[in-house]
Amino acid sequence: MADTLVYRAEGAAVADGGDLYGFTVTPWQLPATYPPFAAILFVPTTWLPLGALKAVFLAGNVVLLAVLVRLSCRLAGLPARTAPLCAATALALWLEPVFQTVVFGQINLALACLILWDLTRPPGAVGKGFALGVAAGIKLTPAVFIAYLFLRGRTREALTALASLTGTVLLGALVLPAASMEFFTRRVFETGRVGKAWIIDNQSLQGLIARLLHAAEPGAAWAVPAALTAAVGLWLVRRAPGEAHALLLTAFTTVLISPISWSHHWVWCVPLLAVLVAGGRPRLAAAVAVVFTARTFWLLPHDGDLDLRLPWWQQPLASPYPLLALALLPMLSTYLSTRTEVPPPRGAVDSPHDHRADRVAHRVGRP
C-alpha cells in the first residue's frame, strides 16, 4: 500500500505545515503528485494508526468496487440483483487494474465511482456535474470528462463541473497558497516526477511508444500520435450515438493520451465489460476480461532498464492495455454502438438530440 503511505504523508504535510512537494516516502522515494486540494482531503488519513488505515483502504476499495459494478450496470442498463452483483464484484477483484488498486491502496475506484455516479444521474438532477468537478480537482485527468459534456451538448452539467473544479483550485489556494502556486506553475508539468514513462507499469500511449522505440524520452514520436489520438478520440465522442459508448470513449482516450497511466488507472475496464455484456457481445467481453486478468507485462523482465530493451515479440505483451484501447476506440463509436441494443443508463439520456425521441427509441445503439 505504497500509495496509501503517500496520501498519509500529504495529509501530514498539510496538518503540520510541511513542504507538500518536498518530501519522498517509501523505499521507492515517492513524492506527492496531486493538487493541494487532494492533500487537504487526505488530512483524515493521519488520524488513524497505519495498520488501521491500511485496513480501511482495503475494505473501502472492496466496497467501492461493488459500487462501481452497480454503477456500471446502471450505465449499461443491466439489472443489479444482489447475488449477481456480489459474484461480479468477487470476479472483478481479479482484474489486474482493480487488484493493483487494492494492493497499492490507490483511489482510482473512488474517482471512477464519483464520475460514473454523477454522469449517470437523471437529467436535471440538482448539482449534476459537481462530483465530476471534485474528481478533477483531486487528480486533474478526469477534467477530460468536462470536454465530454460539452461535446455531447450537456452544457449546463459541463459548466457545473467546471465551476466545481475551479472551486477546488480556489480552496487549495486559500488553504495552501504557496503549495498551490508551486503545483500549478511548476509541478504539474513535471511528468517525470510521477515516474519513468518507459517502464511496463505505464500502460499509456507514451509508454507503448517509448518501449517500442527503445527510447526513454520519445518526444515528438509520442507527442504527435498522442495529439492525433486525442483529436480522433474526442471526435468519436462527439459522433457516438449513445451516452454509454461516448463515456467509455472518453475514459479510454484519457488513459491513452495521459503521459503516464499506471496499470491500476485502467479500472474503467469494469464498466466496459458491463456495456459489452449488455450489448450482446459475450465473446468480446470474455476476450477483454482475459486481457485485463492475464498480467502479461508482469511476466516480462523489467529490472533496471530492461523495459527499454524488449524484443519485438514481447512488445504486445508489454503494452496490452493501450493496444486494446486503440482497437476498441473505433469499435465503440461505430460497430459496437450501431449494431447493439444497449439500453441507456436509467434517466441519463441527455444529449443534443431530441430527448423525447431518445426516450421513445430507448436505445443507446440506435443510429
Side-chain angles (χ1 to χ4, degrees), residues 149-172:
L149 291 174
F150 277 118
L151 288 170
R152 300 300 292 180
R154 297 160 66 170
T155 307
R156 180 177 179 181
E157 297 170 27
L159 292 175
T160 301
L162 196 58
S164 176
L165 170 58
T166 303
T168 67
V169 174
L170 293 176
L171 178 60

Side-chain angles (χ1 to χ4, degrees), residues 61-74:
N61 269 325
V62 173
V63 171
L64 285 168
L65 176 58
V67 173
L68 182 60
V69 172
R70 175 67 183 85
L71 291 171
S72 299
C73 290
R74 185 165 78 178

Side-chain angles (χ1 to χ4, degrees), residues 197-237:
W198 46 267
I199 61 176
I200 59 171
D201 311 52
N202 182 22
Q203 291 291 299
S204 73
L205 192 61
Q206 180 176 211
L208 182 156
I209 293 174
R211 291 186 291 270
L212 188 62
L213 299 180
H214 310 292
E217 297 181 3
W222 160 71
V224 173
L228 289 174
T229 301
V232 172
L234 293 177
W235 177 72
L236 294 175
V237 167

Side-chain angles (χ1 to χ4, degrees), residues 9-23 43 46 175-179:
E10 290 186 41
V14 175
D16 302 334
D19 184 356
L20 179 57
Y21 300 107
F23 70 80
V43 169
T46 64
V175 178
L176 301 167

